[in-house]
């Protein structure tokens, strides 16, 4: 493994993207206390302002790599400018966030550098001979520790896996600028546009009841609505799979490429808990998951897990709710003895 | 147009390679997108390619049933899963020996979740590429204009020269079901197995040293008991937290 660590900054509108500080934190955790090993690269047409911001906040050395072709992100342009530069630098690690820029660029960059490529990194494991990187595999069921076999490794790190770098540097890091001329390439970014979705009520709901592919049929959305009606105010969310199937519109999609939500309660019903989905509920205060697979990834994020077939469990839940409503309004109904009803929920259960 | 579609056989947890494997969902979207190009542009041929052991021919058959003109099997059987770099290298060397105008792949394999193979094929061939494509249109001037899906409902518009590599995001289309005529055709049509000559699998550039079950949420717990008991506990909890 080579020594240096290069962080490729993500930025927009003259400010570093907050994810850049997560990449910096990852670099900081890998540098073994030797901040000299870290160099931040800020690609852009004029990226000095961002470079100065990062140098002041981190104390790391920052290079603004400027070129006319870097006005906005474009894979071809980034590769032509950054490829040769990084080849000369020959760092041990190149770190990017696992975003539509990071996962687009990293694999091609790794090929250009003859480097290993490890995507969606969630943690680093040091202490052994070689630092390992933890990522999700097996359709979300397992985690794997992966080690690079090459002098350079390109890493994309999962948003949220590292807390943004928060250090008080003694002084700002050095800032320099390199200008690189690059002719026109074979790919041009022509702009950005907002996808046309009607606004959804997801953003300001206190309770979100969300459906996943596990509902099986569009008809079973009725069960999701049943649960939603338990609450005075709630909204219906869903996984991308449900939108792709045409069962709900994309305005309901929660996750990395959908809505980021922060409800008090998030009900994940028949949702496996893919990282891209869970990315959207990081700020949910409480997550309750219903899934018939006890090893579903969603249980790693859930406060309360219910391992049941949703098509059977929800009707029972509704029945029980109606019965309790009935009794509280004074219906003369004989209730089953339920000793545990008011006892606190059981403690943590190890799987 | 000559289009190559990369299809991967994914083996999902709890299923055996023989019975439980299927075509990667994102590759169905990629194949559908290619088939729609074929419907629009006369003279277009769609070829499905898969690298791996004998068993991956099942997904090539499936691709042919959906409408791919041919299925191409790059046979390698090292006993180990191919890394994205290895798969990309095999596919890129096949592309070098044949001419394709466009290469489609899925944005991600559902089993290994790498999101690497497509951009790596492009880098190996020095082709332009775009990942997570949610709309694409081929222009008469041999360029393709695409929309890439970014975060939070934002799309990046990119114009690429042909030949190029696109990795396809779910939701771009509705993948078709196999038609009876294609099912019959696929049954009798041979899968193409190009000579393995010169098809070396490069060394893997990263190694998995262990796999393990992810940890539970620190506050996480499971409700126990019968269905009804769980329902009662859940309602109790929701009352307790003032949600009801
Ligand atoms: C670039 C990119 C961006 C993405 N962005 C997003 C995003 O923003 N949001 C998003 O959601 N996804 C996103 N995805 C897709 C994501 O990777 C997953 O494919 C998706 O979240 C899966 O949806 P799901 O959990 O509903 O389906 P699955 O993964 O198929 O899970 C279904 C679950 O239902 C359970 N189940 C089945 N039957 C029952 C039953 N009867 N009772 C109870 N449980 C049952 C199963 O055990 C399983 O866990 C993105 C993917 C990519 C590549
Ligand atoms: N062995 C393979 N054979 C053919 N295509 C593959 C193979 N591995 C990956 N791919 C393609 O690359 C895409 C992304 O895979 P990955 O990089 O593993 O997430 C898949 O959706 C396939 O289109």
């Amino acid at each position: 493994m080579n020594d240096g660590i290069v962080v490729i900054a993500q930025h927009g509108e003259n400010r570093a993207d907050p994810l850049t500080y997560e990449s910096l934190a990852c670099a900081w955790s890998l540098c073994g206390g030797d901040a000299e090993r870290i160099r931040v690269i800020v690609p852009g047409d004029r990226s000095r302002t961002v470079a100065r911001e990062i140098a002041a906040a981190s104390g790391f050395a920052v290079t603004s790599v400027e070129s006319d072709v870097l006005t906005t992100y474009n894979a071809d342009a980034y590769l032509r400018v950054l490829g040769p530069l990084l080849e000369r630098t020959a760092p041990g690690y190149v770190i990017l966030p696992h975003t539509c820029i990071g996962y687009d660029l990293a694999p091609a960059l790794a090929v250009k550098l003859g480097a290993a490529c490890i995507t969606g990194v969630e943690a680093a494991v040091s202490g052994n001979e070689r630092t390992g990187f933890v990522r999700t595999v097996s359709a979300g069921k397992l985690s794997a520790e992966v080690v690079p076999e090459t002098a350079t490794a390109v890493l994309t790190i999962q948003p949220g896996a590292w807390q943004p770098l928060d250090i008080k540097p003694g002084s700002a890091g050095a800032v320099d600028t390199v200008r690189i001329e690059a002719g026109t390439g074979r790919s041009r970014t022509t702009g950005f546009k907002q996808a046309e979705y009607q606004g959804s009520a997801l953003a300001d709901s206190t309770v979100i009841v969300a459906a996943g592919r596990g509902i099986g049929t569009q008809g079973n959305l009725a069960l999701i609505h049943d649960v939603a009606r338990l609450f005075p105010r709630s909204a219906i969310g869903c996984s991308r799979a449900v939108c792709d199937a045409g069962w709900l519109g994309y305005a309901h999609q929660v996750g990395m490429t959908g809505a980021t939500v922060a409800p008090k309660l998030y009900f994940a019903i028949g949702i496996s808990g893919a990282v891209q989905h869970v990315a959207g509920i990081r700020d949910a205060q409480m997550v309750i998951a219903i899934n018939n697979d006890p090893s579903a990834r969603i249980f790693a994020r859930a406060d309360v897990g219910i391992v049941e077939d949703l098509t059977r469990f929800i009707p029972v839940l509704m029945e029980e709710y109606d019965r309790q409503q009935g009794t509280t309004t004074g219906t003369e109904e004989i209730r089953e003895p339920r000793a545990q009803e008011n006892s606190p929920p059981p403690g943590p259960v190890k799987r | 147009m000559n289009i190559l579609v990369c299809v991967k056989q994914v083996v999902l947890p709890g299923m055996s390679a023989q019975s439980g494997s299927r075509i990667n969902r994102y590759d169905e979207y990629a194949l559908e997108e290619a088939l729609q190009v074929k419907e629009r542009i006369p003279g277009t041929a769609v070829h499905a390619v898969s690298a791996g052991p004998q068993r991956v021919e099942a997904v090539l058959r499936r691709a042919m049933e959906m409408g791919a003109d041919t299925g191409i099997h790059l046979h390698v059987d090292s006993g180990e899963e191919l890394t994205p770099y290895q798969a990309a290298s095999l596919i890129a060397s096949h592309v070098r020996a044949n001419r394709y105008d466009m290469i489609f792949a899925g944005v991600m394999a559902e089993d290994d979740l790498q999101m690497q193979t497509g951009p790596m094929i492009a880098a190996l061939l020095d082709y332009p590429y775009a990942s997570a494509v949610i709309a694409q249109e081929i222009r008469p001037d041999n360029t393709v204009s695409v929309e890439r899906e970014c975060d939070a409902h934002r799309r990046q518009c990119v114009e690429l020269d042909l030949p190029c590599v696109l990795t396809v995001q779910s939701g771009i289309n509705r993948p078709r079901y196999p038609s009876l005529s294609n099912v019959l055709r696929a049954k009798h049509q041979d899968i193409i197995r190009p000579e393995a000559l010169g098809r070396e699998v490069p060394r893997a550039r990263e190694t998995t040293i262990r796999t393990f079950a992810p940890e539970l949420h620190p506050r996480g717990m499971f409700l126990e008991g019968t269905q009804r008991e769980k329902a009662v506990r859940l309602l109790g909890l929701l009352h307790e937290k003032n949600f009801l």
Side-chain angles (χ1 to χ4, degrees), chain A residues 15-59:
Chain A
R15 300 198 51 177
D17 187 304
L19 293 176
T20 296
Y21 289 97
E22 297 182 9
S23 301
L24 293 175
C26 173
W28 181 241
S29 74
L30 292 174
C31 78
D34 182 6
E36 302 271 299
R37 288 172 56 195
I38 301 173
R39 175 164 298 274
V40 186
I41 285 181
V42 191
D45 53 350
R46 278 194 186 75
S47 47
R48 256 162 283 189
T49 313
V50 179
R52 278 192 219 102
E53 174 203 320
I54 294 171
S58 67

Side-chain angles (χ1 to χ4, degrees), chain B residues 6-8 24 27 49-51 82 84 87 91 105-106 108-109 112 114-117:
Chain B
C6 304
V7 293
K8 184 179 181 184
N24 183 36
D27 301 349
V49 67
S50 194
L82 295 168
I91 294 166
M108 172 172 95
D112 64 22
Q114 297 274 17
M115 307 182 79
Q116 295 187 18
T117 309

Side-chain angles (χ1 to χ4, degrees), chain A residues 100 104 145 149 186 244 319, chain B residues 126 131 148 170 207 210:
Chain A
C100 66
D104 194 53
E145 183 179 341
E149 301 288 355
R186 290 152 306 153
D244 290 341
E319 216 177 271
Chain B
D126 215 16
S131 66
R148 297 186 60 222
S170 66
T207 313
R210 67 181 175 117

Side-chain angles (χ1 to χ4, degrees), chain A residues 252-268:
Chain A
H252 294 274
Q253 185 193 322
V254 171
M256 184 182 134
T257 50
T260 304
V261 297
K264 288 204 168 69
L265 174 62
Y266 189 81
F267 248 105

Side-chain angles (χ1 to χ4, degrees), chain A residues 315-327:
Chain A
V316 173
L317 179 70
M318 300 317 294
E319 216 177 271
E320 193 57 38
Y321 177 79
D322 289 344
R323 189 193 340 235
Q324 290 187 7
Q325 289 299 98
T327 46

Side-chain angles (χ1 to χ4, degrees), chain A residues 103 211-215 238-242 253-258 269-277 290-293 296 308-311, chain B residues 25-26 107-108 115 132 149 169-170:
Chain A
Y103 61 66
R213 181 154 35 215
I215 64 169
C238 67
S239 71
R240 185 179 182 103
V242 168
Q253 185 193 322
V254 171
M256 184 182 134
T257 50
I269 305 180
I271 292 177
S272 62
V275 280
Q276 294 91 354
H277 184 81
I290 304 175
N291 197 302
N292 60 0
D293 174 3
E308 286 292 345
D309 181 331
L310 70 94
T311 59
Chain B
R25 268 205 192 89
Y26 295 93
V107 63
M108 172 172 95
M115 307 182 79
E149 194 178 44
Q169 173 62 298
S170 66

